Amino acid sequence: VQLVESGGGSVQPGGSLRLSCAISGDVDTDSCMAWFRKVPEKEREAVAALDSDGSPMYADSVKGRFSISKDNTKNILYLQMTSMLPEDTAMYYCAAAIGTSCSGGWWLRHMDEYNYWGQGTQVTVS
C-alpha cells in the first residue's frame, strides 16, 4: 500500500487549498482513512477522518472549515481546507488504518496504530 499526498503550498489567511492522497495497493474497504498534521517541536495532531461508511469526523480546530471526502473510483482521499488560519501551517499526512473503524473516537486516540502513512505535503498560511 502506498499513500502519496499532493496539493500543499502557500496561501494567505482566509484562503483555501485542497489536499489529495492517492491510494494504491490493497486497502480494505473497511478501513479508517485520516489526515494528520505536524509542526516541528509539537505533537502530531489528528485533523479529520473518513470511516468506511462515509462518515466524516473532524477535530474541533478544523470543524466547519475543513471537509474530508474520497473518490472511490479514483481511489483518492481529499481534504478541502477553507477559511485557513496561520495556525493551519503544518506538514499534512494521510494515513490508513486497515480493517478498522474510525468511530467512537478511535481515529483520534490511536494515532500509532495506523498501518500506512504518506510522505506528507507542506501547507503554509501567511
Side-chain angles (χ1 to χ4, degrees):
V1 174
Q2 274 197 318
L3 306 176
V4 180
E5 302 95 336
S6 61
S10 295
V11 64
Q12 292 184 341
S16 301
L17 275 178
R18 188 178 77 163
L19 305 183
S20 299
C21 174
I23 306 162
S24 60
D26 190 15
V27 176
D28 193 319
T29 53
D30 292 328
S31 297
C32 177
M33 301 297 302
W35 287 96
F36 294 85
R37 63 189 181 188
K38 178 77 170 64
V39 176
E41 301 181 352
K42 289 190 176 180
E43 292 198 358
R44 183 175 50 193
E45 178 187 12
V47 175
L50 191 68
D51 214 345
S52 56
D53 66 356
S55 301
M57 299 157 201
Y58 301 97
D60 289 343
S61 58
V62 306
K63 207 171 286 184
R65 301 188 298 119
F66 289 12
S67 177
I68 187 171
S69 62
K70 185 170 179 276
D71 185 330
N72 289 320
T73 60
K74 296 181 180 178
N75 224 12
I76 298 177
L77 182 73
Y78 297 105
L79 184 69
Q80 178 68 52
M81 305 184 289
T82 63
S83 302
M84 296 183 73
L85 305 169
E87 48 263 46
D88 294 323
T89 296
M91 185 73 81
Y92 283 72
Y93 300 88
C94 68
I98 306 301
T100 301
S101 170
C102 304
S103 64
W106 187 94
W107 72 284
L108 282 167
R109 296 194 296 268
H110 297 270
M111 283 189 272
D112 292 338
E113 296 183 39
Y114 284 76
N115 306 96
Y116 300 101
W117 292 82
Q119 82 291 346
T121 186
Q122 178 66 38
V123 170
T124 302
V125 185
S126 65

